[in-house]
Amino acid sequence: MFPQMGSVLKELETEAVYIMREAAAQFERPALLFSGGKDSIVLLHLASRAFAPAPIPFPLLHIDTGHNFPETIKYRDEAAQRYGVNLIVRRVQDSIDAGLVSEEVGPHSSRNALQTVTLLGAIAELKLDACFGGARRDEEKARAKERFFSHRNSFGQWDPKNQRPELWSLYSGRKNVGENFRVFPISNWMEIDVWQYIKAQGIPMPSLYFSHERPIVVRDGVPLAHTEFLSPIAGETVETRTVRFRTIGDATCTGAVYSTASDIDEVIAELLDSKTSERSTRADDRRSDSAMEDRKAKGYF
């Protein structure tokens, strides 16, 4: 028996469902960007509730960097089957092979930023006019500038100064040919809200989010998973530690946190005591003070 949702969670769910229904009504070819992370998992669950008893009326789109955690890919495939939704996968490796992007080199190399080219290519190929995303305003300062319906120009670029007002819960999907939107139904949620909703709804989660022993390499103060994609450099050693992940992305830049939280209740208790952002462990956000905004301006999630 799952706990009942409190009034705050009910309001957040109602708002998210309303936004998803509005987007489905206004756009002809939407898709849900699915990473296998907690926010996109919640977004998928919300979609199932928004359109029940009918099936989810749009596909999942996963931009696969090729450097994913195996647990993420396994969960992605199981989730698509569990919710009965079509899964579309487009791979960064194909963009590299086609000469559209170049593989980064060096100790801080990552394919995270390369996803943008693959995503924009998928949007053009599939003729998508809207992509649902699980971004939240509390994650990072650039994401706090997003609207629920976030306009992208014909080049897929985001201009935070060129966004539509969203007064009285009215959302405009008006666009010119070639333009598209990102739609962020859980913008007003916080990390703690996501986890409390997961608990209330009994949503199964990837094991990465709970404490487990894993070989890690500490780089610039961030514990990174030691994988075939990331090896120690001079001065670094591989050690096995008990960790979990607060956010999941490309394995080369997704940092872990030292934690013994092994279930949802312990994760929630840990978050209530935490004084750091979940993205403080993302190495890609440390490249510059405006790293996220720079990527978003080029068409990133």
Side-chain angles (χ1 to χ4, degrees):
M1 188 72 176
F2 303 119
Q4 291 186 343
M5 293 192 296
S7 60
V8 172
L9 281 184
K10 287 180 180 178
E11 289 177 9
L12 289 172
E13 181 189 56
T14 298
E15 178 183 63
V17 164
Y18 173 72
I19 290 166
M20 296 189 92
R21 289 172 177 170
E22 277 291 298
Q26 292 193 42
F27 299 111
E28 295 181 2
R29 297 179 67 89
L32 191 154
L33 300 177
F34 191 78
S35 66
K38 63 184 181 306
D39 299 317
S40 63
I41 291 170
V42 165
L43 209 59
L44 174 57
H45 186 78
L46 286 165
S48 72
R49 290 174 67 81
F51 303 102
I56 296 173
F58 39 75
L60 303 184
L61 173 60
H62 180 217
I63 304 301
D64 185 354
T65 67
H67 291 172
N68 294 288
F69 293 100
E71 297 95 326
T72 302
I73 300 302
K74 181 176 183 291
Y75 184 94
R76 177 200 71 186
D77 295 342
E78 290 174 348
Q81 184 175 17
R82 182 166 58 250
Y83 286 95
V85 63
N86 182 34
L87 171 65
I88 300 172
V89 180
R90 292 296 179 266
R91 295 175 172 82
V92 171
Q93 185 62 53
D94 292 337
S95 298
I96 295 172
D97 293 343
L100 300 175
V101 291
S102 299
E103 187 88 77
E104 294 184 0
V105 296
H108 299 286
S109 61
S110 171
R111 288 185 174 183
N112 202 47
L114 306 186
Q115 295 178 84
T116 298
V117 170
T118 309
L119 171 63
L120 295 180
I123 289 173
E125 172 202 348
L126 302 170
K127 296 180 172 58
L128 303 178
D129 54 3
C131 292
F132 292 99
R136 308 186 327 269
R137 291 178 177 135
D138 72 320
E139 286 181 89
E140 202 274 342
K141 58 187 179 182
R143 285 184 166 165
K145 299 179 182 180
E146 293 277 19
R147 301 291 172 88
F148 286 110
F149 278 30
S150 186
H151 175 261
R152 300 299 197 267
N153 66 21
S154 58
F155 297 100
Q157 297 172 325
W158 173 66
D159 179 2
K161 297 180 181 179
N162 185 31
Q163 299 296 310
R164 283 82 183 273
E166 294 181 337
L167 305 174
W168 306 295
S169 298
L170 298 175
Y171 306 107
S172 172
R174 179 177 53 83
K175 59 181 176 56
N176 296 316
V177 175
E179 297 175 344
N180 58 80
F181 278 77
R182 303 286 193 278
V183 180
F184 300 114
I186 62 171
S187 286
N188 284 336
W189 297 46
M190 299 179 68
E191 185 181 10
I192 192 70
D193 298 320
V194 169
W195 278 105
Q196 288 174 337
Y197 187 77
I198 288 168
K199 177 181 178 179
Q201 294 293 307
I203 304 172
M205 297 297 290
S207 58
L208 290 166
Y209 280 111
F210 306 108
S211 66
H212 57 285
E213 286 194 344
R214 179 178 290 270
I216 64 164
V217 173
V218 178
R219 182 167 298 170
D220 297 330
V222 177
L224 297 170
H226 176 233
T227 66
E228 60 181 301
F229 318 119
L230 188 142
S231 300
I233 58 177
E236 296 177 346
T237 58
V238 178
E239 54 183 318
T240 299
R241 297 290 298 271
T242 300
V243 299
R244 73 176 192 87
F245 294 87
R246 288 177 67 182
T247 176
I248 296 175
D250 189 287
T252 60
C253 61
T254 301
V257 294
Y258 302 114
S259 171
T260 58
S262 59
D263 59 33
I264 292 179
D265 287 328
E266 291 178 355
V267 168
I268 291 173
E270 184 178 88
L271 291 178
L272 290 172
D273 286 335
S274 176
K275 294 180 174 60
T276 59
S277 164
E278 65 198 277
R279 291 194 70 91
S280 63
T281 59
R282 290 294 291 263
D284 51 327
D285 287 352
R286 297 185 172 198
R287 295 190 173 195
S288 73
D289 290 339
S290 60
M292 173 65 81
E293 185 155 349
D294 293 342
R295 294 199 303 274
K296 287 177 69 63
K298 295 177 182 178
Y300 186 74
F301 304 117

